Amino acid sequence: MTIDYDPEWGTATRGVRAGTLRSPEGEHSSAIHMTSSFVFESAEACAARFAGEDPGNIYSRFTNPTVDAFCQRLAAMEGGECCVATGSGMAAILATCLATLQSGDHIVAAHTLFGSTIGLFNNYLGKLGIRTTFVAPDDLDAWQAAIGPDTRMLFVETPSNPLTEVVDLAGLAALANANNARLVVDNCFCTPALQRPLEHGAHIVIHSATKYLDGQGRALGGAVVGDAETVGDQVFRFLRTCGPSMSPFNAWIFYKSLETLEIRMRAHCESATRLAQWLETQPGIDHVYYPGLSSHAQHELATRQQPGGFGGIVAFDVAGGREAAFKLINATQMLSITANLGDTRTTIVHPASTTHARISAEDRARAGIGEGLVRVSVGLENIDDIIADLWRGLSG
Ligand SMILES: *Cc1c(COP(=O)(O)O)cnc(C)c1O
C-alpha cells in the first residue's frame, strides 16, 4: 500500500484527503469502480499481473480501486500500515481469527462483546478447536489469570456495550506482548476520530463499518487494520481465497462518509454528553453510564485513551425495572426503537430483552445489565428535541 498522506496531518484531514483516487477524467469526487474483473493489453501482461510481477488489479474479490481507496483512507486514520475491507463487521472478525489462529489456540475476550462475536467464538471457532475464555473487561487481573500457554489473541471492545466500561488498552497490550499474543480491538464504538488503539499498543483494529463509519444506516461493511505482515499478508490472503469481500459500491459509501467522520463524531459526543448530564438530574433515573461523566468509574482513563471524545452511546437504569423501561421507550415519539447504533437518527433499545436476551438471566445480572436498563445511541438531531422526547417518556 502506498502512503499518500502527510504524517503530520490530523485525523479529520486524513479522512478528507488520504487515499485519493482519481482517474484520467479528473473527477474531484472519486468514481465508483463497479467492475468484477479487469482487462489486459496482451496475454503477456495478463500473465505478469497474475505472477505478481506487475502490481495492479485482477479481480474485485481482492483488488478493486474503490475498495483500496477506502482501505488506504481508514488505515491512515487509524495509523496502521494496511487495511483489508470485508462485507460486514462479522466477516472482519471471522477473517482475522481464521487468518491468524489455528486449532488448539486460545482466545481471552471480554464477556461484554457484541452478541454475534460471542456466538462466532463459542459456536464456530469452538468447533475448530479454538477455545475462548471470557473475562470482565475492566479487570486486568482477570485477563492475566485467564491467559494460558496457548493464548494467542486478546479481544476487546472499549467502551463496552451497553454499560460503557472502559478497558485499559496499554495494559492489555503489555499483557499480550508478554504472552506472545495479539491484542485485537473492535473500535466500532469510538472510530479513529475518538480513539486509535494502535497508538496504545494494540496489534489489530477491527471495524463494523456498518455503524459510525457509514453513520447513516445505509450499508453493511467491515475492515481489519494492522501491520503489513498480519493484515497486508495473512488477512489479505484469507480474503483473496475465501472471499468475504466488500462491494465497491459500499466501499464508496464508507469512503465518502470518512470525510465527515470526525465532525459527525464530535457532534455525537457533544449531544451524548448533554443527554448524560441531563439524565443524571432526573428523579426517575437510578444510574447513568457514560465515560464523559465524572461519576463514571474510568472517567480518567477514558479522558486519556479517547482524546477525541467519549462517544455517542449513553445507558441508564430506570427506576421500576422492565415495566418502567418499556413505558419510557413506548412514550417516545421521535426516537427510533431499534438495536442498531451509530446512525444520524437517535435509537433507543432495552438491552435485556433484545441485544442481550440470548444470555442467561444470571449472566446478565452478573454483567450488570438490569431489567430497567435502557441504551440510547445519540444521533444528530437537535439535542433539545432528543431530550424533549425522552422527557415525554420519563414524565409520561
Ligand atoms: C454491529 C457490530 C459488529 C458486527 O458488525 P456487522 O457489520 O453487523 O457484521 C461487531 N462489533 C460491534 C461492536 C458491533 O456493534
Side-chain angles (χ1 to χ4, degrees):
M1 196 145 76
T2 53
I3 301 289
D4 73 337
Y5 63 91
D6 183 337
E8 297 293 318
W9 284 352
T11 314
T13 311
R14 294 178 189 207
V16 174
R17 294 286 181 180
T20 294
L21 171 67
R22 189 162 294 150
S23 81
E25 300 294 343
E27 70 281 357
H28 193 200
S29 170
S30 300
I32 313 176
H33 292 259
M34 286 303 292
T35 178
S36 49
S37 67
F38 297 83
V39 294
F40 302 90
E41 292 294 331
S42 65
E44 288 81 1
C46 187
R49 185 72 55 84
F50 273 75
E53 293 154 11
D54 167 41
N57 301 304
I58 295 176
Y59 187 57
S60 286
R61 188 192 319 116
F62 55 99
T63 53
N64 177 277
T66 311
V67 178
D68 289 348
F70 161 70
C71 284
Q72 290 207 20
R73 185 165 280 179
L74 183 61
M77 294 177 85
E78 286 286 4
E81 282 176 358
C82 281
C83 171
V84 165
T86 56
S88 70
M90 291 318 302
I93 298 171
L94 179 70
T96 301
C97 292
L98 291 189
T100 64
L101 298 173
Q102 45 194 331
S103 189
D105 285 351
H106 176 239
I107 302 172
V108 182
H111 67 55
T112 47
L113 293 184
F114 186 64
S116 295
T117 308
I118 294 177
L120 190 160
F121 287 177
N122 281 337
N123 304 333
Y124 295 99
L125 296 186
K127 74 178 178 185
L128 300 178
I130 299 167
R131 283 177 312 114
T132 305
T133 304
F134 294 96
V135 297
D138 53 353
D139 181 354
L140 274 188
D141 294 336
W143 287 85
Q144 169 83 72
I147 292 173
D150 298 326
T151 306
R152 290 294 161 266
M153 183 184 284
L154 310 185
F155 195 106
V156 74
E157 294 165 16
T158 178
S160 71
N161 178 19
L163 296 178
T164 73
E165 296 144 291
V166 178
V167 185
D168 178 1
L169 291 178
L172 276 190
L175 271 185
N177 289 332
N179 290 280
N180 190 26
R182 289 190 183 91
L183 173 60
V184 180
V185 180
D186 180 334
N187 201 25
C188 170
F189 269 43
C190 278
T191 83
L194 308 187
Q195 163 178 282
R196 287 173 295 280
L198 300 176
E199 290 177 2
H200 301 283
H203 302 90
I204 295 179
V205 169
I206 293 211
H207 276 287
S208 167
T210 317
K211 311 295 167 49
Y212 288 109
L213 298 195
D214 172 20
Q216 293 156 76
R218 299 168 296 188
L220 253 84
V224 185
V225 184
D227 64 84
E229 192 196 323
T230 316
V231 176
D233 187 44
Q234 287 181 267
V235 178
F236 175 75
R237 273 191 287 121
F238 178 86
L239 177 88
R240 176 174 185 151
T241 307
C242 302
S245 317
M246 178 181 281
S247 127
F249 184 77
N250 286 7
W252 181 81
I253 287 178
F254 301 132
Y255 174 79
K256 294 300 290 176
S257 293
L258 288 180
E259 295 177 5
T260 55
L261 181 67
E262 221 232 22
I263 195 168
R264 284 188 284 109
M265 291 311 292
R266 216 183 301 153
H268 284 296
C269 290
E270 198 179 298
S271 289
T273 301
R274 284 269 308 276
L275 177 64
Q277 286 168 345
W278 176 78
L279 284 166
E280 263 194 331
T281 66
Q282 296 306 301
I285 305 290
D286 283 342
H287 192 83
V288 183
Y289 305 88
Y290 186 65
L293 295 172
S294 50
S295 60
H296 190 280
Q298 295 109 14
H299 177 63
E300 292 305 321
L301 172 62
T303 305
R304 264 185 287 124
Q305 190 165 278
Q306 302 176 211
F310 300 103
I313 310 293
V314 179
F316 51 96
D317 284 316
V318 183
R322 179 179 293 219
E323 198 185 329
F326 275 26
K327 209 170 127 207
L328 180 151
I329 292 169
N330 289 336
T332 62
Q333 292 173 6
M334 180 184 78
L335 271 47
S336 309
I337 304 173
T338 169
N340 199 18
L341 58 89
D343 199 307
T344 51
R345 291 152 290 195
T346 300
T347 66
I348 187 165
V349 76
H350 179 249
S353 62
T354 58
T355 52
H356 293 70
R358 281 183 296 175
I359 59 177
S360 71
E362 300 90 77
D363 283 351
R364 256 201 319 271
R366 201 165 340 111
I369 298 166
E371 289 292 326
L373 187 73
V374 172
R375 187 196 76 191
V376 172
S377 167
V378 181
L380 300 182
E381 306 96 335
N382 289 109
I383 182 59
D384 293 338
D385 295 326
I386 297 170
I387 287 177
D389 206 28
L390 280 164
W391 166 244
R392 203 174 348 248
L394 275 174
S395 58

